[in-house]
């Protein structure tokens, strides 16, 4: 417009020049005319530009205003302690501090030494001997606070969770009950300066601010492949991948954040057509986040897999708080989920995870809290709901389903978590970071799964649970005596579900949830687990399952209730025996895996020795009593049949095992790799013996040709039970 007007004025000037080029009158007229015109044009240009760039606050998206204010505040402060928030990096830091001042180099060195200290189990000794450094503003400038919080917070959790023998469920009244002053005093000061009520390892410390990237062209392009953790605790692929994927998801939040701003702009302008374009972009970006989460692959056939057993003993338990009332740095603290919850209009937070999310949000940096409030100020969900545009509503449904639908991000996340926790709890984990799994003694991973599903449904009240698909098993009959023996690479990996038996051996290397979880579930009936993850209701998964169905789980025809009780007791014993064998076999992965990046093959490190020692204690204090109790139930059921069997010795020894302290006595710490291999092999042989003889017992009970008074029946039962007891006594 300005150029057009200037051209017009030049044209007028040319006309006058033609007539009076040399007259004084013309010179006077030209000057008197040109100056006001130019002033007027300049004024119009200024007003036009001002109207474009200086809109009223009410006409601009609240999210955009909050981000710009956060950027100004952080620039003025010279640091981002009030919260990472920018258009360029989203919820990630614009600048990462990689070193503290020389006065605090001890902490920097500690962050480098953590994997070695963990491997040697000398964390507590090193930290206790560390000098008490001054963390006041005079000694430690504000710009270094976040790095200090990450180092001290990670070290505190390593101090408690990676060396001591404190149970995961143990809670202290205060940090001073366990942390030395060299760590607690500066950590308390740093957290207080960051606006936290108490010392705590937050999600910001452990994930959001715990990385640097030199290969990413922009903050939104940070990926697992181009980032490095600033404070690794063990330095393994499990730690780097698990934390790195959360960081990559945070990077992919940047374009989503911009689309949310654009969505608010469309709502303010009542521009439904542009909003549709924005929603299509959002749908694709949420799907991309789901693909990033899929990198958490537990299948050992993949190069960059995460071994869930090694993950359990390193990363998984690190964030569990040990002070009453403290909230751990769990995945519920990821800002992406909170942003999407507000954007999609979540209003209910009544589940356990929902309540935890609100507590976590209250501890967020101020800039994050302001941004989440800004998302609510212009509600896209309410705009769509009030619209008569059916295409817009359909697109909104697509976006929300891609986030919290059963086949969307949160549904995929729940199933992914289930696979990891099913392994984690089986090998001894007692709780999650947010305390799930403690209320359910049997299969505690089911509790965590249900909580996640309840939290998902809290977002999507319209979601309907699919009905279970009934499948008629093939006529091939497979008895429990056969099922429990197929739980190894040599015999194959079978499992039962919903009355059918499946051979998962060919599917092991393809299973998205990992091969280890199939290994640990083999030889057992896992109907409840498959129902929990939707595998028996999802048509696609059902079709995959059917490819591996080999028969139906059969039961013998028994003539009396007493025989039926005996058989069911033996079935329970068989399932437990197979489960215990599977769990114990996992100890070889601990022995031969990498619990720190410094571990070498054939070396028993102090950390590995401690975990194997804990596994042995659990075998004697939990698993053996459980097996002995089940044997006692079998013996009691036999007594109801009034059959003469030579089981006096077996009964006496079982009662001795259950009534003595022999199974909970002191366990010797393994001294070297060869001793560890020998001990694990000996224990595994006895557990296999328990399972094999339980299989023989079941086969005898399943034999329809010989009744309970037949000599072959009585001898088979007596021999099997005596051998089972022999192996249990050896294990004790």
């Amino acid at each position: 417009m300005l150029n057009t007007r200037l051209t017009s004025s030049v044209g007028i000037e040319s006309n006058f020049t033609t007539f009076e080029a040399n007259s004084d009158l013309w010179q006077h007229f030209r000057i008197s005319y040109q100056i006001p015109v130019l002033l007027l044009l300049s004024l119009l240009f200024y007003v036009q530009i001002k109207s474009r760039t200086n809109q009223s606050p009410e006409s601009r998206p609240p999210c955009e205003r909050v981000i710009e204010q956060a950027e100004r505040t952080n620039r003025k402060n010279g640091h981002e302690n009030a919260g990472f928030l920018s258009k360029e990096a989203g919820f990630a830091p614009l600048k990462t501090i990689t070193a503290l001042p020389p006065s605090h180099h001890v902490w920097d060195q500690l962050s480098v030494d953590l994997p070695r200290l963990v491997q040697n189990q000398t964390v507590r000794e090193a930290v206790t001997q560390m000098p008490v450094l001054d963390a006041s503003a005079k000694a430690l400038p504000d710009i270094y606070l976040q790095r200090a919080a990450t180092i001290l917070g990670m070290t505190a959790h390593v101090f408690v969770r990676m060396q001591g023998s404190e149970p995961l469920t143990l809670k202290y009244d205060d940090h001073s009950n366990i942390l030395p002053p060299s760590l607690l005093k500066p950590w308390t000061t740093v957290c207080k300066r960051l606006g936290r009520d108490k010392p705590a390892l937050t999600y910001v410390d452990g994930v959001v601010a715990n990385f640097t990237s030199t290969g990413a062209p922009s903050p939104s392009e940070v990926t697992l492949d181009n980032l490095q953790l600033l404070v690794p605790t063990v330095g393994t692929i499990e730690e780097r991948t698990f934390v790195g994927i959360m960081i990559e998801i945070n990077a992919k939040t940047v374009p989503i954040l911009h689309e949310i701003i654009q969505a608010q702009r469309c709502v303010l302008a009542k521009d439904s057509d542009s909003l549709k374009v924005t929603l299509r972009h959002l749908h694709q970006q949420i799907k991309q986040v789901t693909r990033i989460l899929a990198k958490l692959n537990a299948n050992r056939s993949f190069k960059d897999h995460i071994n869930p057993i090694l993950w359990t003993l390193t990363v998984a338990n690190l964030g569990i708080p040990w002070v009453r009332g403290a909230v751990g740095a769990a995945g519920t603290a990821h800002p992406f989920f909170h942003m999407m919850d507000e954007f999609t209009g979540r209003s209910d937070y009544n589940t356990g995870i929902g309540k935890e999310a609100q507590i976590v949000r209250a501890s967020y940096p101020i800039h994050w809290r302001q941004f989440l409030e800004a998302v609510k100020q212009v509600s896209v969900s309410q705009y769509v709901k009030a619209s008569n545009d059916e295409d817009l509503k359909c697109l909104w449904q697509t976006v929300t389903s891609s986030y919290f639908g059963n086949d969307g991000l949160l549904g995929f996340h729940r199933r992914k978590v289930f696979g990891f926790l099913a392994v984690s709890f089986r090998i001894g984990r007692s709780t999650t970071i947010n305390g799930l799994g403690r209320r359910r003694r049997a299969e505690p991973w089911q509790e965590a799964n249900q909580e996640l599903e309840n939290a998902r449904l809290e977002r999507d009240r319209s979601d309907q649970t699919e009905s279970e698909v009934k499948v008629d098993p093939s006529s091939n009959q497979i008895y429990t005596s056969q099922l429990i023996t197929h739980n190894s690479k040599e015999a194959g990996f079978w499992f039962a579900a919903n009355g059918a038996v499946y051979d998962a051996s060919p599917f092991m290397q393809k299973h998205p949830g990992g091969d280890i979880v199939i290994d640990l579930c083999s030889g057992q009936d896992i109907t409840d687990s498959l129902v929990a993850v939707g595998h028996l209701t999802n048509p696609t998964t059902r079709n995959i399952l059917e490819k591996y169905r080999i028969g139906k789980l059969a039961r013998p025809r028994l003539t009396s209730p007493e025989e039926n009780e005996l058989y069911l007791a033996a079935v329970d014993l068989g399932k437990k025996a197979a489960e215990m064998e599977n769990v114990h076999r996992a100890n070889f992965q601990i022995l031969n895996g990498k619990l720190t990046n410094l571990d070498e093959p054939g070396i028993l490190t102090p950390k590995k020795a401690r975990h194997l020692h804990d596994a042995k204690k659990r075998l004697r204090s939990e698993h053996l009593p459980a097996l002995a109790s089940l044997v006692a139930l079998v013996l009691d059921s036999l007594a109801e049949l009034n059959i003469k069997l030579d089981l006096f010795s077996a009964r006496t020894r079982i009662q001795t095992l259950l009534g003595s302290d022999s199974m909970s006595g002191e366990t010797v710490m393994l001294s070297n790799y060869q001793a560890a291999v020998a001990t694990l092999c000996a224990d595994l042989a006895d557990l296999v013996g328990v399972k094999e003889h339980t299989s023989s017992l079941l086969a005898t009970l399943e034999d329809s040709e010989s009744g309970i008074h037949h000599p072959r029946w009585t001898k088979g039962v007596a021999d099997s039970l005596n051998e089972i007891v022999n192996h249990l006594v050896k294990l004790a």
Side-chain angles (χ1 to χ4, degrees), residues 71 74-75 80 84-90 92-96 219:
E71 290 173 331
N74 288 344
R75 281 196 300 269
E80 299 177 273
F84 308 123
L85 187 62
S86 65
K87 289 183 179 179
E88 182 181 351
L94 281 168
K95 181 181 179 182
T96 302

Side-chain angles (χ1 to χ4, degrees), residues 585-604:
R585 195 186 301 117
N587 290 331
F588 285 94
Q589 295 186 47
I590 299 174
L591 178 62
N592 296 314
K594 291 176 75 73
L595 294 183
T596 75
N597 61 336
L598 304 174
D599 292 357
E600 296 180 1
I603 302 296
L604 179 68

Side-chain angles (χ1 to χ4, degrees), residues 76-205:
K76 180 181 178 181
N77 291 339
H79 56 74
E80 299 177 273
N81 295 340
F84 308 123
L85 187 62
S86 65
K87 289 183 179 179
E88 182 181 351
F91 298 111
L94 281 168
K95 181 181 179 182
T96 302
I97 303 300
T98 58
L100 297 172
S103 57
H104 292 72
H105 176 70
V106 171
W107 294 351
D108 278 334
Q109 188 60 47
L110 179 63
S111 70
V112 174
D113 292 341
L114 278 179
R116 177 180 58 81
L117 297 175
V118 170
Q119 182 192 48
N120 296 330
Q121 295 291 275
T122 55
V123 176
R124 296 191 172 189
E125 178 183 354
V127 171
T128 302
Q129 295 175 356
M130 188 172 65
V132 180
L133 299 184
D134 186 0
S136 67
K138 182 179 179 180
L140 188 67
D142 289 342
I143 195 172
Y144 298 109
L145 281 179
Q146 183 53 66
R147 175 164 174 80
T150 295
I151 294 175
L152 297 175
M154 297 291 274
T155 301
H157 278 254
V158 169
F159 187 99
V160 176
R161 295 302 180 204
M162 288 197 180
Q163 181 172 341
S165 58
E166 292 81 10
L168 296 177
T169 53
L170 178 64
K171 298 295 182 182
Y172 292 100
D173 293 324
D174 189 78
H175 288 293
S176 60
N177 295 130
I178 188 169
L179 296 180
S182 57
L183 181 57
L184 179 58
K185 186 175 180 180
W187 191 30
T188 302
T189 302
V190 167
C191 288
K192 185 175 181 180
R193 290 178 61 191
L194 286 170
R196 304 173 191 174
D197 295 336
K198 299 177 181 178
L201 176 70
T202 68
Y203 201 77
V204 173
D205 302 335

Side-chain angles (χ1 to χ4, degrees), residues 69 180 300 311 422 446 491 511 615 632 649 670:
Q69 180 59 49
R300 286 176 290 178
W311 170 81
Q446 299 280 11
H511 185 224
S649 175
L670 296 168

